[in-house]
């Protein structure tokens, strides 16, 4: 009764993957399949799909024949990614893939979006937890703890940052005095696709994925942005041009450290660069594999994704010892502007590809630089380039509109319009400009309400339903209710960062 | 680290029961033992116990010797209840048992309080659940679903009432349109102690227990009370004296029905009376067992407990066919006044024993009748007896004070001071007027914060920590997130009520 059917909004370029049908998966093409075993596939031509009439979803079934047809189609599309992954990663700036929407790209955008979503789902937001601000799960069990079975990735490192005065409203802090860390917050992870048959042949390469956590509900941090552009070289990023500037809050968050804290005694920047270097040396130099570096993030995490993707390229970490260039791509979701026009020119000149998925009603994607930005005449931008508040988006934009989804309330508040799960839902139904909203995979729309009140009421999905049993309290063997210990050494163990840092600064 | 130790506030009249140490249990004397396997018992004379110095709780251990000593003591006290249960049920109006506090009575008060607490823990308060207002668990699995293993009771019937205009703020209603019932709310249950060795020999008799749900956080219903006394005979209760009156909201809630609803086509009154009649006939008339009838409830549930205990006696259901009288007892927690002085005289004249456990800071226990009540001169009460707002408490009162517990914040809001789990915690530490607060059993103080923010911050127990994983949403076999179906026929199946009602009105 409370299941959301998808009958009339559904078509199925992506088939059922039997192995993963009962769980989420980060594998390409099987990502959303988990939720739609019972859907009836509806054949639909492009013309049919563009019909704009709205029919409320009904119940549905999946016939065996459709089941098999989709499995075959799955195999075909899987091959497709293997052959086309460089284009999907933006080799040609996604020319011809966005309108009409390429089904493989759509699936990949949802997959990487889910890697960013995992940062929210795993984060401890509860100020009454003594682990507030940490990841709720150990590194080795992150995906499976989130119900993402057989993800095809291993988490190589957790990322931490230390709170800084520029973004006081971004950091989550415990109300208690005895806590896991006074100032650090878990910020995401570096993962690498694994050796399993299921993974590499699908991806077509070894993927190093970096996911940054952003902020879901509290948008106060936007107001905190100082709107102040700062040269990246001022914070130690190796850029020869002092005119390349990014917003100071993002930059500080990326480079600040706290030597008294074992989680943030190295900056997020140092954590990420050393880990990327290690993985490139291992899989690129030693194994000679094809590699990709994909950075993903929502909201403020989108800004960090762009900044860190740029840094990786600026540091030359996307080159193997033999000089082979590794494509660097940032997929961002509801990301704000990051830097000035010189930053845009620099990052694009370095070959970093950025695709920004945005809900047109999301104010974050218009910040900072609401008044003077890339839509101003180019000459004016150039002229104003030296001003501290002259921002510019980078890369390509994929504009979505939540008012096109018949599942969502048309009018919502700003933080709801900014929701990542909603963006993934919008991606799933997007087929191109002016095309009718039709779910491609049947990715469960109920996920939208995990941390929002966005679904229309008649679907009867509780708002903000994602929560832990008993706020994580468990009965111990003595029968007492406690918050169990959580932080393990493996999550912040970083014996190799010192050595790798030396190598970074003095490349052999 | 987040475990609440009880070192200095602990003494141990109640020992470890090995069988139940890892779970709550409704069995006498093993009720709270579950939570204190690791405590170090502190020998303490009465003099020592009365020392009023405050020492903050520390960590503790339990030695094997103490373990064994307590187990022996458990056996002794178990025997004690078997022999003294009539006094514990109030045969002598608890003379000499309240100050100093009798340890067996204390344990029984906590045990029956937990039966009332179970009504809250099992109730679906979530307005975004389509089962809002129902019990989250099926009747046969109520206790085990709440983690109360080996309770010693079987739930014989669920109780439902229909919303009435007098108490609009008491009933929980779903926001959705498709719901399990438009107007009914689950109100509690009738249970009967089982045959197992563990149960009857401990209790000394077969116990018919009736638990009424009240309201935890929302106190608006107090304002709803019309402060209007109504003759009980006006609503069909068989009382020869029209001057016996109770508050009209309580009375209507108890007697209203909705013939269009399968859950409340019989009134709560009819549900309870027929079930008590059936159980008395089965165990009293047929088996010839010793019986007790114990009614328990918190808050508004306390009012219903008093009213229904009275009704059972007024209807003569507490007599076996051979004329043997079955003791009827109401243990209430934070209960309001129910009726006028004539009601008090009537219920006490019928031999119903009422013990009211109250926090002195709880305003509910002073309602209705804040200005004219039993503390007025008797002559004035008699004189004002005919007034519609002249209320009178019944039975004995056990006054507690949350400011005596070193675990609790001294200053809290009204609904917090009214909390049932806090009352059970206060009971556990109570030894008599002016005596130092020392936990008797080590019942986990963390339970206090299940649905309140009452514990002092340094214990680091999250406030309002009792919640379901994902608001009860589960992934179905198709991988979609749904609210599972819940209501089963067994929960409202009442084939025998018609017949039993006929017998009630025309006793053979």
């Amino acid at each position: 009764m409370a299941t959301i059917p998808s009958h009339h909004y559904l078509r199925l370029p992506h088939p059922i993957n039997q192995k993963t049908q009962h769980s989420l998966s980060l594998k390409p093409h099987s990502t959303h399949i988990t939720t739609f075993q019972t859907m009836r596939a509806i054949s639909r031509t492009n013309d049919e799909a563009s019909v704009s009439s709205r029919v409320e979803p009904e119940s549905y079934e999946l016939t065996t024949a459709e089941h098999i047809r989709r499995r075959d189609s799955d195999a075909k599309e899987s091959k497709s990614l293997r052959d086309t992954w460089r284009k999907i990663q933006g080799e040609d700036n996604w020319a011809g893939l966005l309108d009409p929407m390429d089904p493989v790209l759509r699936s990949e955008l949802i997959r990487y979006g889910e890697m960013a979503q995992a940062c929210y789902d795993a984060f401890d937001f509860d100020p009454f937890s003594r682990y507030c601000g940490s990841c709720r799960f150990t590194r080795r069990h992150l995906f499976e703890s989130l119900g993402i079975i057989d993800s095809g990735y291993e988490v190589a490192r957790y990322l931490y940052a230390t709170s800084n005065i520029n973004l006081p409203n971004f950091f989550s802090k415990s109300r208690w005095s005895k806590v896991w860390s006074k100032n650090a917050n878990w910020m995401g992870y570096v993962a690498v696709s694994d050796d399993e048959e299921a993974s590499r042949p699908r991806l077509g390469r070894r993927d190093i994925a970096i996911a940054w956590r952003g902020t879901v509900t509290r948008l106060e941090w936007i107001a905190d942005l100082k709107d102040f552009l700062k040269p990246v070289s001022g914070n130690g990023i190796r850029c020869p041009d002092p005119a390349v500037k990014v917003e100071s809050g993002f930059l500080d968050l990326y480079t600040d450290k706290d030597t008294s804290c074992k989680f943030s005694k190295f900056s997020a920047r140092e954590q990420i660069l050393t880990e990327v270097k290690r993985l490139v040396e291992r899989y690129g130099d030693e194994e000679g594999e094809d590699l990709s570096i994909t950075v993903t993030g929502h909201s403020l995490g989108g800004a960090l994704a762009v900044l860190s993707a740029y840094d990786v390229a600026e540091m030359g970490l996307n080159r193997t010892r033999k000089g082979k260039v590794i494509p660097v791509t940032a997929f961002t979701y509801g990301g704000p502007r990051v830097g000035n026009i010189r930053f845009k020119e620099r990052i694009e000149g370095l070959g970093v590809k950025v695709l920004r998925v945005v809900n047109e009603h999301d104010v974050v994607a218009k910040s900072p630089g609401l008044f003077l930005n890339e839509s101003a005449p180019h000459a004016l931008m150039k002229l104003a380039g030296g001003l501290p508040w002259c921002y510019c988006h980078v890369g390509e934009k994929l504009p979505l509109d939540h008012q096109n989804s018949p599942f969502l309330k048309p009018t919502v508040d700003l933080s709801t319009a900014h929701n990542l799960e909603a963006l993934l839902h919008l991606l799933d139904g997007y087929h191109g400009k002016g095309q009718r909203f039709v779910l491609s995979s049947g990715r469960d729309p109920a996920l939208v309400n995990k941390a929002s009140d966005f679904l229309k009421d008649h679907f009867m999905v509780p708002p903000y339903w994602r929560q832990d049993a008993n706020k994580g309290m468990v009965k111990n063997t003595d029968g007492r209710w406690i918050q169990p210990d959580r932080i393990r050494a493996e999550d912040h163990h970083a014996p190799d960062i010192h050595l790798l840092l030396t190598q970074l600064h003095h490349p052999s």
Side-chain angles (χ1 to χ4, degrees), chain A:
Chain A
M1 184 166 159
T3 309
I4 294 190
S6 322
H7 186 89
H8 283 92
Y9 300 101
L10 183 79
R11 65 178 186 183
L12 261 222
H14 299 162
I16 291 285
N17 177 313
Q18 289 285 27
K19 279 175 65 184
T20 57
Q21 69 195 23
H22 294 308
S23 63
L24 278 167
S25 164
L26 294 176
K27 286 188 201 169
H29 305 300
S30 61
T31 311
H32 328 104
I33 290 160
T34 66
T35 48
F36 39 101
Q37 193 185 6
T38 56
M39 298 179 310
R40 192 197 309 161
I42 300 172
S43 308
R44 194 181 291 279
T45 65
N46 276 343
D47 279 351
E48 281 174 334
S50 66
V51 172
S52 64
S53 70
R54 289 280 159 79
V55 187
E56 288 300 305
E58 296 168 7
S59 57
Y60 43 77
E61 281 171 18
L62 177 71
T63 67
T64 307
E66 286 158 345
H67 216 112
I68 292 167
R69 184 161 48 73
R70 283 196 250 158
R71 209 164 39 198
D72 294 345
S73 155
D74 184 34
K76 205 174 70 190
E77 293 205 353
S78 187
K79 181 173 178 306
S80 170
L81 176 63
R82 200 157 64 227
D83 297 337
T84 64
W85 70 267
R86 288 181 189 274
K87 291 200 190 317
I88 299 298
Q89 293 293 106
E91 184 176 50
D92 301 331
N93 297 312
W94 299 283
L97 300 181
L98 298 178
D99 191 16
M101 187 72 204
D102 179 78
V104 180
L105 176 59
R106 183 200 299 112
S107 174
E108 287 292 276
L109 285 174
I110 294 177
R111 189 171 71 85
Y112 284 112
E114 286 180 339
M115 294 186 95
Q117 179 67 38
C119 297
Y120 291 133
D121 293 342
F123 188 65
D124 187 341
F125 288 95
D126 184 359
F128 293 101
S129 161
R130 63 198 166 105
Y131 295 111
C132 180
S134 77
C135 180
R136 301 189 294 124
F137 311 113
T138 60
R139 176 167 65 80
R140 292 188 201 285
H141 303 101
L142 174 68
F143 293 131
E144 69 182 69
S145 300
L146 291 169
I148 304 169
I149 309 301
D150 204 10
S151 69
Y153 282 78
E154 284 171 7
V155 178
R157 183 180 294 285
Y158 270 179
L159 301 173
Y160 295 89
T162 185
S163 60
N164 70 64
I165 50 166
N166 290 327
L167 296 168
N169 279 305
F170 174 69
F171 277 78
S172 291
K173 289 203 176 187
S174 178
R175 301 270 177 99
W176 310 134
S177 51
K178 294 177 188 173
V179 293
W180 67 285
S181 167
K182 291 273 183 222
N183 298 309
N185 259 205
W186 181 69
M187 290 301 297
Y189 57 88
V190 181
V192 61
S193 60
D194 62 27
D195 286 331
E196 281 175 33
E197 183 278 328
S199 177
R200 276 209 291 160
R202 286 174 164 275
L203 291 173
R205 83 288 187 186
R206 176 83 63 176
D207 186 39
I208 299 168
I210 298 147
W212 288 100
R213 182 179 62 81
T215 178
V216 197
T217 50
R218 296 181 304 166
L219 295 186
E220 295 89 339
W221 65 267
I222 300 179
D224 292 340
L225 290 180
K226 286 235 166 91
D227 240 11
F228 181 73
L229 286 161
K230 192 174 174 182
V232 294
S233 54
N235 282 35
I237 293 182
R238 192 194 294 162
C239 176
D241 183 357
V244 172
K245 297 177 181 174
V246 299
E247 203 284 325
S248 60
F250 301 150
L251 186 61
D252 290 351
L253 183 61
Y254 183 57
T255 59
D256 275 2
K257 61 179 93 177
D258 176 357
T259 50
S260 71
C261 170
K262 63 183 172 185
F263 295 95
S264 52
K265 68 181 170 185
F266 298 103
S267 66
R269 175 175 190 254
E270 289 168 339
Q271 295 164 47
I272 201 174
L273 292 184
T274 52
E275 190 61 25
V276 168
K277 179 177 166 61
R278 189 181 73 83
L279 294 171
V280 167
E281 285 175 354
R282 173 164 171 198
Y283 295 107
D285 297 339
E286 292 171 24
E287 309 284 344
E289 296 180 1
D290 277 344
L291 295 181
S292 64
I293 297 171
T294 317
V295 199
T296 177
H298 169 248
S299 186
L300 183 143
L304 292 169
V306 169
L307 184 54
S308 56
Y310 155 73
D311 194 15
V312 164
E314 184 72 272
M315 292 294 285
L317 296 180
N318 62 329
R319 282 177 187 275
T320 64
R321 210 168 283 158
K322 293 182 177 168
K324 199 165 146 189
V325 174
I326 302 163
V328 179
T329 307
F331 292 122
T332 74
Y333 306 80
R337 295 189 182 88
V338 180
N340 62 2
I341 192 168
R342 299 298 288 272
F343 175 71
K344 170 192 163 75
E345 290 165 353
R346 182 85 190 166
I347 186 175
E348 291 178 1
L350 287 165
V352 175
K353 303 300 180 182
V354 179
L355 181 54
R356 295 178 293 109
V357 181
V358 296
N359 178 358
E360 290 285 52
H361 302 272
D362 180 7
V363 71
V364 175
K366 294 166 185 156
S367 309
L370 201 56
F371 301 111
L372 188 54
N373 53 51
E374 65 284 337
S375 61
H378 191 72
L380 178 60
M381 280 292 281
K382 274 288 191 192
L383 197 68
L387 297 177
W389 33 263
C390 181
Y391 288 83
C392 183
H393 266 309
V394 301
E396 302 299 317
K397 173 176 163 186
L398 176 58
L400 304 173
D401 183 345
H402 74 257
Q403 293 183 342
N404 288 339
S405 166
F407 292 88
L408 304 182
K409 293 174 183 168
T411 311
V412 290
D413 63 28
L414 292 179
S415 72
T416 303
H418 181 54
N419 187 277
L420 175 54
E421 278 288 1
L423 271 179
L424 303 183
H425 165 77
L426 292 179
L427 270 172
D428 197 23
Y430 184 73
H431 298 271
K433 275 178 198 151
Q435 300 262 23
R436 185 178 167 207
F437 186 95
V438 178
L439 293 179
S440 299
S441 70
R443 185 174 195 283
D444 192 351
L447 295 170
V448 169
N449 266 12
K450 263 188 341 196
S452 77
D453 185 5
F454 209 163
L455 287 169
K456 287 178 180 170
D457 274 358
H458 71 269
F459 294 113
M460 306 210 315
V461 177
Y464 302 94
W465 59 262
R466 170 73 200 89
Q467 63 181 29
D468 280 344
N470 298 326
K471 297 195 174 177
M473 297 276 281
V474 295
K475 225 190 234 185
N476 71 7
T477 51
D478 303 327
R480 297 181 86 83
W481 287 93
I482 59 160
Q483 290 187 346
D485 291 331
R486 184 186 295 161
I487 300 293
R488 308 273 161 80
E490 58 166 320
D491 298 333
H492 60 85
H493 194 52
D496 49 355
I497 285 193
H498 260 306
L499 176 64
L500 286 163
L501 272 181
T502 316
Q503 296 171 355
L504 264 185
H505 295 300
H506 308 283
S508 53

